[in-house]
Amino acid sequence: MGESDAVSAGKSTSTDFLPYGRQSVSDEDIAAVTEVLRGDWLTTGPAVTRFEDDLAEHTGGTPAVAVTSGTAALHVAYAAAGVGSGDEVVTSPMTFVATAAAAALLGGKVVFADVEADTGNLDPAAVSAAMTSRTKVVAAVDYAGHPAEVDELGRIARDNGALLLEDAAHSVGGNSHGRPVGSLADLTTFSFFPTKNLTTAEGGAVVSASEDLLARARGFRNHGLVRDKAAQRYPDEGAWHQEVHEFGLNYRLPDVLCALGSSQLRRLAEFKRRRAEIHARYTTALSSLDGVLTPAVREGADPVWHLYPLRVLEGRRRALFDHLRGKGIGVQVNYIPAYWHPVFEDLGYQRGMCPNAELYYSQELSLPLFPALTDADVDRVIDEVHGFFG
């Protein structure tokens, strides 16, 4: 969905449809993409390295491996961590299904732990109770852009010989206790889908301070190809020779999209600021309204808000959803608990496993939130929410 001139100029009217998320693409973004299209490299060229370096400036210097989507980032990260048959991955059900599916596709057993009642993030106590000798990875999710309790989760993971993965699809540009997201966990994954905090159209990245994990991630995103003669089993075959020692896939993000990403990163601080302004405007107007709860913020958290997850009480979430959609306001629900999907149900997962997550889901309603949303747009949403409750 493109950004309309009317919304960009702040001239929205009551008849405009407001999506819950939308990309913000500038003339500079378009010029950056065009420059690559006129050059010699469309993929695996200098724009990829530049984007990875640019992204590292926002992760405390932690190196990045660009890939084709947030889902690919999860798949690559789990592969780099060595997740395989019989290994357990403890994760949150309050996430898009990819957080769990990418581990299951590698043969891992997904173990869902409940979430904190206020933030929707993975509850360290529930994770601790779920750990076994087979746990390979704890995968936390920064729900709505609020960083998870990564320090405590990291300690739990390390004490049990596991790695901590931070699924930061919602939170690139965020901070926790003064440290940037991307520098907090053993592995961090990002998504650059159009509704996220910055976009490469489709795209993602794996970030890690571990050279070993980075090397494995780079190998998996490129079919597992080994071109280094010193590492090959048959180095004398010829200058053309390359080998595959472990299977991988083609998850290479092309230069065209990396150029868009580098351009978008130059506006990440601006995006974060505007998202925070919109979030605060919603909270100020709705926090005293009977029948709803506004999002919690933990001490030390500096979120970059991807979603505004309003909690609608007394079983009225669906009615408010239908009301706002009927008024042209594109609210969304994020997310159905991952183990409610039939693919997990068919594997024996049952409803009732994570009561906090299920209660959160039954109340959650994401209000429109994206940088080009005008104050008039936000006030329109607020007025309609108030109108519904009378």
Side-chain angles (χ1 to χ4, degrees):
M1 183 179 297
E3 181 182 6
S4 71
D5 292 338
V7 171
S8 297
K11 299 176 182 177
S12 111
T13 71
S14 60
T15 59
D16 289 334
F17 177 79
L18 294 179
Y20 92 97
R22 169 184 273 155
Q23 69 271 22
S24 178
V25 175
S26 68
D27 289 341
E28 290 78 11
D29 294 335
I30 294 168
V33 170
T34 302
E35 182 180 358
V36 171
L37 289 172
R38 291 186 172 128
D40 294 330
W41 296 87
L42 292 183
T43 191
T44 61
V48 178
T49 302
R50 183 164 57 249
F51 175 57
E52 292 174 341
D53 291 343
D54 291 344
L55 182 58
E57 293 180 9
H58 297 268
T59 62
T62 315
V65 178
V67 295
T68 51
S69 68
T71 301
L74 287 161
H75 199 195
V76 169
Y78 286 135
V83 172
S85 180
D87 292 326
E88 293 179 354
V89 173
V90 178
T91 193
S92 166
M94 282 299 299
T95 184
F96 184 60
V97 68
T99 310
L105 285 168
L106 288 165
K109 178 184 177 183
V110 179
V111 178
F112 291 104
D114 211 350
V115 301
E116 299 165 333
D118 57 346
T119 66
N121 281 336
L122 200 56
D123 181 0
V127 170
S128 183
M131 301 294 286
T132 75
S133 61
R134 296 181 297 278
T135 305
K136 193 88 168 186
V137 173
V138 174
V141 175
D142 294 342
Y143 181 77
H146 190 296
E149 300 291 334
V150 289
D151 289 338
E152 181 65 10
L153 292 168
R155 183 193 64 76
I156 294 167
R158 286 191 300 274
D159 286 351
N160 288 272
L163 296 174
L164 177 65
L165 184 152
E166 184 176 8
D167 180 345
H170 294 183
S171 61
V172 60
N175 291 269
S176 179
H177 298 279
R179 295 169 296 152
V181 170
S183 68
L184 307 173
D186 298 300
L187 288 154
T188 305
T189 61
F190 293 126
S191 170
F192 308 126
F193 188 73
T195 58
K196 297 301 197 300
N197 302 331
L198 67 99
T199 188
T200 58
E202 288 277 8
V206 178
V207 174
S208 180
S210 165
E211 284 296 331
D212 180 60
L213 291 173
L214 283 173
R216 290 180 60 82
R218 291 189 185 104
F220 193 82
R221 78 161 171 190
N222 191 29
H223 300 286
L225 291 173
V226 177
R227 294 193 173 101
D228 181 2
K229 294 297 183 186
Q232 288 179 349
R233 189 172 299 175
Y234 303 103
D236 298 329
E237 184 67 22
W240 63 87
H241 187 58
Q242 52 191 3
E243 299 176 347
V244 173
H245 296 184
E246 294 181 280
F247 290 124
L249 294 167
N250 178 0
Y251 281 148
R252 300 187 301 266
L253 189 64
D255 280 52
V256 178
L257 302 187
C258 285
L260 174 58
S262 287
S263 181
Q264 289 260 305
L265 279 167
R266 288 192 280 275
R267 288 190 291 149
L268 182 57
E270 172 191 336
F271 292 158
K272 180 180 180 179
R273 177 192 57 78
R274 181 57 185 156
R275 286 176 175 273
E277 289 174 352
I278 294 167
H279 193 279
R281 196 176 188 92
Y282 279 139
T283 296
T284 298
L286 298 174
S287 59
S288 61
L289 180 63
D290 289 339
V292 302
L293 294 175
T294 53
V297 183
R298 293 289 183 91
E299 184 179 353
D302 176 24
V304 52
W305 291 108
H306 166 57
L307 301 174
Y308 190 92
L310 188 69
R311 306 275 292 278
V312 186
L313 309 179
E314 300 174 354
R316 304 188 72 187
R317 190 267 306 273
R318 184 164 185 168
L320 181 56
F321 177 95
D322 291 341
H323 169 78
L324 293 174
R325 282 291 183 104
K327 297 293 185 178
I329 296 171
V331 287
Q332 187 55 280
V333 172
N334 305 93
Y335 300 94
I336 177 175
Y339 57 82
W340 281 23
H341 288 286
V343 66
F344 282 106
E345 185 177 61
D346 292 347
L347 292 171
Y349 295 80
Q350 298 180 350
R351 298 190 181 203
M353 293 169 48
C354 298
N356 285 348
E358 294 185 19
L359 177 61
Y360 198 110
Y361 160 70
S362 73
Q363 299 172 340
E364 197 276 341
L365 188 68
S366 299
L367 302 183
L369 179 58
F370 53 92
L373 208 63
T374 66
D375 288 349
D377 293 328
V378 177
D379 291 344
R380 173 183 159 197
V381 176
I382 291 167
D383 289 346
E384 291 295 350
V385 173
H386 275 273
F388 172 82
F389 286 100

